[in-house]
Amino acid sequence: MIKVGLILGIAGACRTDELVNLTVDDIEDVCSSLIVKIPNTKTKIPRIFVVTDVGNMLELFRKYLSLRPPHVKHKRLFLYYKAGKCSSQLVGKNTMGKIPSVVASYLKLPDAACYTGHCLQRSSETLLADAGVDITTIKRHAGWKSTTVAEGYVENSIENKTKIANQVLVGTTISAITKTVNVSESNIPSNINFENCTNVTYNLNVNK
């Protein structure tokens, strides 16, 4: 349960109650990915997100679903999982909210108890911001009506802080550079030197 909750929570920037209320009908398995619908959200904006086949995420989800007892009458996704079996008992908001603290304890992070259910959504948005995703995408991903929160994630992202540092200390924004050089076999340069470069892609095409 913890692993599946963690996967869905971070992939979809889910709030604790959104995970608790997920049903088996809200998730469509299309072989190469999972299409997850969040019909009822805090902001009243329904969302859809996708979990792709990264690592063994889909395998973990399918295994968890396969352990679902056939006699369960309700369709809520998350049931208590113990000793290799799922019971018919529903997972509540408090249990779901403890997933981040359980993970923090496993990773031996300090103050593990301080990691609450909100960490799932926050981790998702932080990962997007650090990847350089724009405010509009972050806003839509989390289902926010206002851009204020999304702006906070972008402003505090490591990627954005790095750009600011380069602008302050170097005086410019260092961006990726792609350099393509075409030479003949007879005039291949003997030395190619790079200085003060980051994120450089050098393609050498030899024309015979």
Side-chain angles (χ1 to χ4, degrees):
M1 187 278 291
I2 292 177
K3 293 179 181 179
V4 175
L6 185 64
I7 291 169
L8 296 178
I10 293 181
C14 295
R15 298 171 177 84
T16 303
D17 56 343
E18 292 173 349
L19 290 173
V20 168
N21 293 322
L22 267 179
T23 70
V24 292
D25 292 339
D26 293 328
I27 303 177
E28 181 181 0
D29 190 337
V30 293
C31 294
S32 60
S33 61
L34 302 175
I35 300 175
V36 186
K37 299 177 182 178
I38 308 291
N40 301 310
T41 69
K42 180 180 179 180
T43 58
K44 309 300 181 183
I45 302 176
R47 304 197 314 278
I48 296 178
F49 66 91
V50 174
V51 178
T52 54
D53 194 9
V54 178
N56 63 339
M57 291 184 183
L58 299 189
E59 180 183 346
L60 285 171
F61 171 80
R62 289 164 184 156
K63 181 178 179 180
Y64 179 75
L65 199 62
S66 69
L67 295 171
R68 187 180 185 85
H71 63 272
V72 176
K73 295 181 180 180
H74 61 78
K75 293 190 175 182
R76 285 262 291 272
L77 174 65
F78 287 103
L79 307 174
Y80 275 100
Y81 173 64
K82 292 182 179 180
K85 295 181 180 180
C86 274
S87 69
S88 59
Q89 185 179 357
L90 295 170
V91 171
K93 186 174 180 178
N94 290 336
T95 300
M96 189 66 70
K98 292 178 181 178
I99 289 179
S101 65
V102 171
V103 174
S105 296
Y106 176 78
L107 296 175
K108 302 186 185 305
L109 299 179
D111 301 317
C114 295
Y115 289 80
T116 65
H118 181 63
C119 292
L120 296 174
Q121 185 185 57
R122 186 172 182 83
S123 295
S124 180
E125 303 315 311
T126 300
L127 289 170
L128 283 178
D130 285 346
V133 174
D134 60 85
I135 292 175
T136 301
T137 300
I138 294 176
K139 177 183 172 183
R140 289 176 178 172
H141 183 62
W144 290 316
K145 294 181 179 179
S146 171
T147 60
T148 303
V149 180
E151 288 174 348
Y153 281 107
V154 172
E155 289 174 359
N156 292 317
S157 74
I158 298 300
E159 194 250 359
N160 193 56
K161 293 294 185 183
T162 300
K163 285 183 179 179
I164 293 173
N166 287 331
Q167 290 173 326
V168 172
L169 301 175
V170 183
T172 184
T173 301
I174 299 176
S175 58
I177 301 172
T178 301
K179 181 69 175 179
T180 302
V181 178
N182 295 299
V183 298
S184 64
E185 190 175 13
S186 59
N187 67 345
I188 297 177
S190 58
N191 294 305
I192 300 176
N193 298 316
F194 295 93
E195 295 181 359
N196 299 322
C197 296
T198 60
N199 299 325
V200 175
T201 300
Y202 196 95
N203 301 313
L204 180 62
N205 302 316
V206 180
N207 301 316
K208 295 184 178 180

